[in-house]
Amino acid sequence: LPLQKVLGQLIARRRVEKVKQQYMQIGGGSPIEKWTRAQGDGMVRLLDRSRPETAPHRYYVGFRYTEPSMHEAVERMLDDGVGRVIAFTQYQQYSGSTTGSNLNELYRVQRRLDPDGQLQWSFIDRWGTHPKLVSAFADRVEAQIWRLPEDVRRTTPILFSAHSLPLNVVDRGDPYVAEVGGTVAYVVDELRRRGIANPYRLTWQSAVGPLRWLCPQTEAAITSYGARGFKSLVMVPIAFTSDHIETLFELDIEYGEVAEQAGITHYLRAEALNDYPPFIDALATIVKEHMDAGFPTSPQLLLPDPGEESAQTALTRQWIADQAQRASPR
């Protein structure tokens, strides 16, 4: 165990240095806050017009591992005298390791800062098959298909790439894999409706460390298709809604080099949704529908995974259930 601890610290230090170098190659930092704020600005503008009875609407940004933090966001809400809050995850497919982890942190923060419950919470915890999100993704994919040479336009594989998960998380019954697959299926159906019938696969990126992760890994898939004679690929970051290190470095630079070494001469990547107007409209529509429906809580959010879960996750779920009870009509 002492040796494992030392090795773990060494690996972590090396990974930090590696990530620093990667950020230098994409401009010196992550653009995720910039895009999140652009999305929030556009969303509330549309909401103010479409739902004037609850205007003006505000948004607050709270990240799990960087600034601005959830602690800062909740503090600002309380200072601003906010009463009702919608926790709108920007992970459109639910996983306990992403949205679930963020909700656990939100529970801890609100317990510290708002023990009397000034803030009344509701939750948009997954939205990976919303029609307007699906349409926005299809737009981005279609734009790249039309950039391909005509002789490979109909045969080029589309690789939908999502952030991977360790298999021990999947084995607990985490719904992420199914939900990402659902998004892919809906996007493919929309592409088929538009006359785009390219073959496709779902692959997984960003695996680190010695654990077993989801496969096929994106990098290995690129190499494999190059070895099989494919000269073109269209990459689609299907689990991300804005550009950051996984798109700008991993997909564009790192995997772009892999594609070049594999002999792929047309390596295209669908643009991230970022501030694309149809995507901003999707965000506003999702929030409006949530409000119009009376701030419902998804039954999926209240269902535990079949496998073992932490005591913290159980506490968070009970808090969410309590908030749902506050929101329900008396």
Side-chain angles (χ1 to χ4, degrees), residues 11 61 72 74 81 98 108 125 136 141 145 149-150 155-156 175 181 196 233 243 252 281 316:
I11 291 170
V61 177
E72 179 182 334
V74 172
T98 53
R108 291 187 288 264
D125 61 298
V141 178
I145 294 295
E150 189 173 356
T155 57
T156 293
I196 297 169
L233 288 175
D243 274 320
D252 290 354
D281 180 51
T316 301

Side-chain angles (χ1 to χ4, degrees), residues 25 74 79 147:
Q25 294 186 57
V74 172
D79 290 344
R147 290 183 59 205

Side-chain angles (χ1 to χ4, degrees), residues 121 123 295 297 302 319-328:
W121 294 86
F123 308 89
F295 304 90
T297 297
L302 299 176
W319 170 63
I320 291 169
D322 292 343
Q323 294 297 311
Q325 186 64 33
R326 288 181 67 185
S328 64

Side-chain angles (χ1 to χ4, degrees), residues 73-100:
V74 172
E75 274 191 328
R76 287 187 56 214
M77 292 175 200
L78 292 169
D79 290 344
D80 291 345
V82 170
R84 184 181 284 279
V85 189
I86 300 169
F88 186 8
T89 179
Q90 293 305 289
Y91 299 104
Q92 66 268 33
Q93 300 101 359
Y94 182 93
S95 171
S97 63
T98 53
T99 299

Side-chain angles (χ1 to χ4, degrees), residues 241-262:
T241 60
S242 61
D243 274 320
H244 53 302
I245 197 167
E246 281 89 349
T247 59
L248 297 173
F249 178 81
E250 195 167 3
L251 282 176
D252 290 354
I253 298 174
E254 185 175 7
Y255 294 169
E257 292 173 356
V258 171
E260 183 178 3
Q261 292 167 6

Side-chain angles (χ1 to χ4, degrees), residues 9-276:
Q9 291 172 344
L10 178 61
I11 291 170
R13 283 196 298 270
R14 287 181 175 175
R15 174 147 182 82
V16 166
E17 187 57 37
K18 180 181 178 181
V19 171
K20 284 181 180 177
Q21 293 301 317
Q22 292 172 358
Y23 276 118
M24 291 302 296
Q25 294 186 57
I26 63 169
S30 174
I32 193 167
E33 183 182 354
K34 178 189 78 171
W35 290 124
T36 302
R37 293 196 181 281
Q39 291 160 358
D41 287 338
M43 179 187 70
V44 296
R45 278 198 300 270
L46 292 179
L47 279 171
D48 286 348
R49 292 203 298 266
S50 65
R51 211 172 191 277
E53 65 272 26
T54 50
H57 302 89
R58 301 178 183 176
Y59 74 92
Y60 299 81
V61 177
F63 292 115
R64 178 73 172 87
Y65 297 110
T66 189
E67 299 296 328
S69 66
M70 289 191 197
H71 187 282
E72 179 182 334
V74 172
E75 274 191 328
R76 287 187 56 214
M77 292 175 200
L78 292 169
D79 290 344
D80 291 345
V82 170
R84 184 181 284 279
V85 189
I86 300 169
F88 186 8
T89 179
Q90 293 305 289
Y91 299 104
Q92 66 268 33
Q93 300 101 359
Y94 182 93
S95 171
S97 63
T98 53
T99 299
S101 175
N102 278 271
L103 289 173
N104 283 342
E105 176 65 8
L106 180 60
Y107 168 81
R108 291 187 288 264
V109 167
Q110 63 83 33
R111 286 271 294 181
R112 291 195 301 269
L113 298 180
D114 186 29
D116 297 328
Q118 171 187 319
L119 301 175
Q120 183 175 344
W121 294 86
S122 65
F123 308 89
I124 300 175
D125 61 298
R126 66 201 75 202
W127 41 285
T129 58
H130 191 278
K132 290 191 174 183
L133 173 71
V134 169
S135 180
F137 269 129
D139 289 349
R140 293 306 214 194
V141 178
E142 183 177 11
Q144 298 306 311
I145 294 295
W146 285 107
R147 290 183 59 205
L148 290 165
E150 189 173 356
D151 61 331
V152 296
R153 190 172 295 152
R154 293 181 175 274
T155 57
T156 293
I158 300 170
L159 294 191
F160 294 93
S161 185
H163 199 292
S164 191
L165 273 185
L167 289 184
N168 61 357
V169 176
V170 178
D171 290 345
R172 292 200 298 264
D174 191 284
Y176 174 73
V177 175
E179 296 200 5
V180 174
T183 304
V184 170
Y186 274 73
V187 172
V188 168
D189 281 349
E190 174 61 18
L191 291 170
R192 299 289 186 263
R193 191 187 66 78
R194 301 181 186 192
I196 297 169
N198 295 59
Y200 69 94
R201 286 293 186 272
L202 170 58
T203 63
W204 307 93
Q205 66 182 88
S206 310
V208 295
L211 295 175
R212 293 176 61 238
W213 291 68
L214 287 165
C215 287
Q217 293 187 19
T218 302
E219 180 177 353
I222 294 168
T223 300
S224 174
Y225 285 123
R228 292 166 189 244
F230 287 91
K231 297 300 181 183
S232 54
L233 288 175
V234 173
M235 310 301 296
V236 184
I238 197 64
F240 310 121
T241 60
S242 61
D243 274 320
H244 53 302
I245 197 167
E246 281 89 349
T247 59
L248 297 173
F249 178 81
E250 195 167 3
L251 282 176
D252 290 354
I253 298 174
E254 185 175 7
Y255 294 169
E257 292 173 356
V258 171
E260 183 178 3
Q261 292 167 6
I264 294 169
T265 54
H266 294 93
Y267 177 81
L268 305 180
R269 195 259 291 179
E271 289 184 68
L273 297 174
N274 292 335
D275 60 351
Y276 182 46

